[in-house]
Amino acid sequence: EAGVAQSPRYKIIEKRQSVAFWCNPISGHATLYWYQQILGQGPKLLIQFQNNGVVDDSQLPKDRFSAERLKGVDSTLKIQPAKLEDSAVYLCASSLEGRPLFFGPGTRLTVL
Amino acid sequence: EDQVTQSPEALRLQEGESSSLNCSYTVSGLRGLFWYRQDPGKGPEFLFTLYSAGEEKEKERLKATLTKKESFLHITAPKPEDSATYLCAVAGNNFNKFYFGSGTKLNVKP
């Protein structure tokens, strides 16, 4: 069974630039999550989708972050404009109802 | 508010020196507690799910236990390849919402 796929793996941008991350969840997993992980901390939920609807985006900085999940499968997370404090690893995860999360490899973002 | 606290933040062990990592939690209606291993530059890798107090799970040198307030990850005779950050997460009444601790960074010296 293929795992969660993410791209790119690494991205370096200047502050105020925009960036987008892509995620393909495990086939059949209805719930998709985007997490932000700052070095030395645990993952922090940014947004949670159930199929193609948003379940929880209470911690998403909506003035600069946006996310969508097309046709209930792939998802993209965008940051525009980026700030220095957005430097982190962005993790995508998916799950079945009542089952553990399975994570992708993450995208390491560096904002200069 | 649902919360997960892990201790210690970092742990250094000699190869073969057994120890335990702690995960204490407050959650409305625990539906599951999860342990993950995270290697540098990688996403967290699922290890165990525990559903109710008294439950135990084992995998190689790792054993996870659960009480009503905390979980322990026991590492028996660790090897250098066990070095990683171990994350704990809980799911409460809304089973699809997960709360993570900050992790314990384990370093096992040969």
Side-chain angles (χ1 to χ4, degrees):
Chain A
E1 179 182 79
V4 177
Q6 289 188 247
S7 67
R9 291 296 316 277
Y10 306 92
K11 191 74 177 179
I12 300 174
I13 60 173
E14 300 278 338
K15 60 182 179 183
R16 291 188 290 274
Q17 286 187 323
S18 63
V19 65
F21 312 127
W22 172 82
C23 172
N24 180 247
I26 293 173
S27 177
H29 282 197
T31 312
L32 184 148
Y33 307 76
W34 283 102
Y35 283 88
Q36 180 191 60
Q37 188 176 28
I38 293 172
L39 188 65
Q41 298 182 17
K44 170 191 162 187
L45 180 67
L46 292 175
I47 188 166
Q48 177 184 340
F49 292 94
Q50 180 78 17
N51 295 308
N52 61 351
V54 175
V55 174
D56 184 352
D57 63 358
S58 57
Q59 297 202 72
L60 187 74
K62 298 181 186 62
D63 58 334
R64 299 184 299 106
F65 285 66
S66 64
E68 61 179 1
R69 189 178 185 193
L70 302 174
K71 300 181 181 178
V73 182
D74 291 8
S75 177
T76 57
L77 176 69
K78 296 179 182 178
I79 308 175
Q80 181 180 6
K83 292 185 175 182
L84 296 177
E85 58 260 38
D86 298 332
S87 293
V89 175
Y90 291 85
L91 295 165
C92 179
S94 67
S95 72
L96 291 169
E97 175 73 32
R99 304 290 291 168
L101 297 178
F102 290 90
F103 285 88
T107 297
R108 180 175 297 278
L109 173 67
T110 301
V111 182
L112 301 175
Chain B
E1 181 180 308
D2 297 342
Q3 193 169 344
V4 178
T5 304
Q6 291 188 246
S7 62
E9 289 185 10
L11 182 61
R12 268 192 177 183
L13 299 173
Q14 286 296 126
E15 185 172 2
E17 180 187 2
S18 301
S19 189
S20 298
L21 281 55
N22 177 263
C23 170
S24 62
Y25 62 89
T26 54
V27 65
S28 301
L30 180 72
R31 300 289 297 279
L33 184 140
F34 309 87
W35 282 99
Y36 289 84
R37 170 190 171 128
Q38 187 172 25
D39 291 297
K42 296 189 176 181
E45 174 191 352
F46 171 70
L47 292 173
F48 303 111
T49 306
L50 300 167
Y51 292 104
S52 57
E55 189 175 359
E56 299 182 353
K57 293 273 179 74
E58 283 190 71
K59 180 180 180 179
E60 297 180 354
R61 294 176 292 281
L62 300 177
K63 179 180 175 181
T65 62
L66 180 64
T67 71
K68 289 186 177 180
K69 293 185 177 180
E70 58 191 349
S71 175
F72 291 94
L73 185 64
H74 306 278
I75 304 176
T76 302
K79 297 182 177 181
E81 54 262 42
D82 294 322
S83 296
T85 295
Y86 291 85
L87 293 166
C88 171
V90 298
N93 285 327
N94 179 351
F95 208 129
N96 286 329
K97 190 154 188 173
F98 296 78
Y99 299 90
F100 280 85
S102 296
T104 293
K105 187 173 183 179
L106 175 65
N107 187 6
V108 182
K109 296 283 191 182

